[in-house]
C-alpha cells in the first residue's frame, strides 16, 4: 500500500501487549477501587466492596491472560518466520534473536528472498488475534468498575489499531 | 458514577468533537489527493459522533455545548504533511475524552464511547503509520510516544484560530 515504510516502522504491536500486561498486573490488588464504597465503610459496604474487588480481579486476570497469549502468538510467529521480526518489533528488544544483532527494517526489506506467503498468513492470523483481543476487552469493560473500564477501553483500542497495522503489514509481506 | 459526572464527560466529548470536526475542515482541505477520501470519511464520522453526543447530552438533561466559532490549531498547517499530522493529533485528543467518558458512563453510552475510542485509535494509526501503547490515556503517554504537543489538549477546545481556512460547518 501507499505507506510502505511507515507501516513497518509502526507495528509496535507486541510492546503494547507487554506494557498492558504489566499495567494489569501492577494494579491487580484492588488498588484503584477508591471509586466506590470507600467512604461508607459499614460492614455491608465492606462486603460488597470485597465482592466487587474480586470481580474486578477476575476481570484483570482474564485480560492479562488475553494479552499473555497474544504475546505468545507474536513470539511463535517470529520464531517460525524470522523475516517478520523487523516489522513486528521496530524498536528491538522483545523478539530479537539473541544470537544475532537486530536487523534494521531497511535491510530486511531489501536483502534476502523476502518473506514467504506463509509469513503473510501468519501475520494475518496475528491481526485476527488482535481483533479477538479487542472484542474480549470490550466485552470485559462493560462489567468493569470505572477506572478499569477506562484502561480496558484503551487496551481494546490499541488492539484494534494493531490489527489494522498487522493487516497492512501482511499486505506488504505478501508483495 | 454520578449523572453529573456522566453529563460532564459527555459535554467534554461533545466539545472535543466540535473541535475535531473543525480541525478536519482544515486538514481535509490540505491533505494530498490520495488521502482525501480518508479525510472526508473521518470528517463525516466525527460529525456523526458529534450529533449523537448532542442527543446524549439532552437525554442526560443538559444543554449541549455549542461549537466555538474557530479553534486554535496546535501548529501551522500549511501543507499536506502537516495536515496529516494534524489529523493524527485530532484523533489522539478525541481519544482522550472518550476514555474519560468510558469511565464516567455505563451501559450503552459506555459501549459507544469505547467504540469511538477504538475508531479514533485506528484512524490515528492510519494517519501516523504507528500506534501508541495506550490510546486515550494521556497520563501514560509521557514516554514521548506522542509528539506534536498533544499533552495540552485544552488548546483544542479554546481560543481563536489563526487558521486561514477551514469552515467546517
Amino acid at each position: 500500500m501507499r505507506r510502505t515504510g511507515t507501516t513497518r516502522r509502526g507495528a509496535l504491536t507486541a510492546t503494547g501487549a507487554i506494557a498492558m500486561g504489566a499495567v494489569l498486573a501492577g494494579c491487580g490488588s484492588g488498588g484503584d477501587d477508591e471509586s466506590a464504597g470507600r467512604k461508607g465503610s459499614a460492614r455491608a459496604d465492606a462486603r460488597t466492596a470485597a465482592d466487587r474487588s474480586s470481580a474486578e480481579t477476575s476481570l484483570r486476570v482474564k485480560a492479562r491472560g488475553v494479552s499473555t497469549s497474544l504475546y505468545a502468538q507474536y513470539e511463535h510467529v517470529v520464531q517460525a518466520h524470522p523475516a517478520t521480526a523487523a516489522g513486528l518489533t521496530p524498536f528491538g528488544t522483545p523478539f530479537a534473536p539473541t544470537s544475532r544483532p537486530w536487523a534494521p527494517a531497511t535491510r530486511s526489506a531489501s536483502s534476502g528472498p523476502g518473506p514467504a506467503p506463509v509469513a503473510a498468513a501468519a501475520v494475518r492470523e496475528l491481526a485476527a488475534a488482535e481483533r479477538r483481543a479487542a472484542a474480549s476487552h470490550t466485552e470485559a469493560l462493560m462489567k468493569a468498575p470505572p477506572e478499569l473500564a477506562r484502561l480496558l477501553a484503551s487496551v481494546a483500542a490499541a488492539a484494534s489499531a494493531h490489527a489494522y497495522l498487522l493487516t497492512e503489514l501482511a499486505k506488504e509481506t505478501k508483495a | 458514577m454520578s449523572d453529573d459526572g456522566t453529563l460532564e464527560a459527555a459535554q467534554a466529548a461533545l466539545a472535543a468533537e466540535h473541535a475535531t470536526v473543525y480541525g478536519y475542515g482544515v486538514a481535509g482541505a490540505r491533505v494530498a489527493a490520495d488521502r482525501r477520501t480518508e479525510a472526508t470519511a473521518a470528517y463525516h464520522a466525527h460529525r456523526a459522533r458529534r450529533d449523537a453526543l448532542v442527543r446524549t447530552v439532552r437525554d442526560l438533561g443538559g444543554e449541549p455545548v455549542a461549537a466555538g466559532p474557530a479553534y486554535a490549531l496546535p501548529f501551522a498547517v500549511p501543507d499536506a504533511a502537516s495536515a496529516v499530522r494534524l489529523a493524527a493529533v485530532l484523533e489522539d485528543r478525541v481519544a482522550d475524552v472518550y476514555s474519560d467518558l468510558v469511565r464516567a458512563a455505563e451501559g450503552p453510552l459506555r459501549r459507544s464511547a469505547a467504540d469511538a475510542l477504538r475508531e479514533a485509535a485506528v484512524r490515528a494509526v492510519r494517519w501516523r503509520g504507528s500506534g501508541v501503547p495506550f490510546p486515550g490515556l494521556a497520563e501514560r503517554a509521557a514516554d514521548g510516544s506522542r509528539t506534536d504537543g498533544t499533552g495540552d489538549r485544552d488548546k483544542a477546545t479554546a481560543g481563536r484560530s489563526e487558521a486561514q481556512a477551514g469552515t467546517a460547518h
Side-chain angles (χ1 to χ4, degrees):
Chain A
M1 253 184 103
R2 56 190 179 273
R3 292 181 299 286
T4 329
T6 34
T7 315
R8 184 173 291 112
R9 171 161 50 82
L12 52 76
T13 42
T15 12
I18 294 161
M20 207 279 282
V23 165
L24 288 168
C27 27
S29 51
D32 58 349
D33 57 358
E34 70 277 329
S35 53
R38 276 281 150 90
K39 289 174 211 157
S41 58
R43 242 171 290 155
D45 282 354
R47 211 182 83 85
T48 49
D51 288 349
R52 208 178 286 130
S53 164
S54 102
E56 172 168 359
T57 302
S58 77
L59 284 172
R60 283 179 184 277
V61 168
K62 181 159 181 269
R64 202 161 55 211
V66 169
S67 78
T68 306
S69 82
L70 201 50
Y71 176 80
Q73 266 175 281
Y74 274 94
E75 225 166 21
H76 181 75
V77 169
V78 169
Q79 271 163 16
H81 311 285
T84 62
L88 293 178
T89 54
F91 307 118
T93 42
F95 303 125
T98 46
S99 57
R100 261 187 326 149
W102 198 236
T106 45
R107 212 185 67 199
S108 82
S110 60
S111 73
V118 64
V123 173
R124 270 199 303 277
E125 196 43 54
L126 280 180
E130 288 279 13
R131 275 193 293 276
R132 286 193 297 274
S136 161
H137 293 312
T138 301
E139 190 192 332
L141 74 87
M142 294 303 293
K143 292 170 280 182
E147 280 302 337
L148 180 58
R150 180 168 177 267
L151 175 63
L152 288 170
S154 175
V155 172
S160 289
H162 294 158
Y164 168 79
L165 288 171
L166 288 165
T167 305
E168 294 299 298
L169 183 66
K171 289 179 197 162
E172 284 178 30
T173 305
K174 207 173 186 175
Chain B
M1 186 60 67
S2 74
D3 286 352
D4 279 357
T6 311
L7 176 57
E8 198 181 317
Q11 290 279 34
L14 175 55
E17 287 290 17
H18 280 315
T20 304
V21 167
Y22 176 90
Y24 265 108
V26 177
R30 301 268 196 288
V31 293
D34 67 334
R35 306 203 73 176
R36 200 147 290 157
T37 314
E38 217 176 307
T40 305
Y43 173 73
H44 286 298
H46 285 290
R47 281 177 58 114
R49 289 282 174 196
R50 178 200 65 189
D51 295 345
L53 283 165
V54 165
R55 291 191 292 275
T56 297
V57 167
R58 289 221 173 92
D59 289 349
L60 291 168
E63 180 59 33
V65 61
Y71 293 85
L73 300 174
F75 43 79
V77 184
D79 53 21
S82 56
V84 165
R85 277 195 298 131
L86 174 62
V89 169
L90 293 172
E91 298 294 353
D92 286 344
R93 290 177 169 181
V94 87
D96 287 349
V97 294
Y98 278 119
S99 76
D100 292 344
L101 185 55
V102 166
R103 178 172 55 196
E106 287 175 346
L109 181 55
R110 177 183 281 190
R111 178 57 192 257
S112 88
D115 290 344
L117 172 52
R118 278 194 301 112
E119 288 165 16
V122 172
R123 279 191 297 261
V125 125
R126 288 182 71 118
W127 288 121
R128 190 176 280 128
S130 66
V132 297
F134 293 99
L137 304 190
E139 75 277 11
R140 293 190 195 274
D143 59 353
S145 57
R146 280 201 203 170
T147 49
D148 306 329
T150 48
D152 41 354
R153 73 175 100 137
D154 48 355
K155 265 199 226 155
T157 52
R160 294 227 149 249
S161 173
E162 310 83 46
Q164 308 89 328
T167 41
H169 300 280

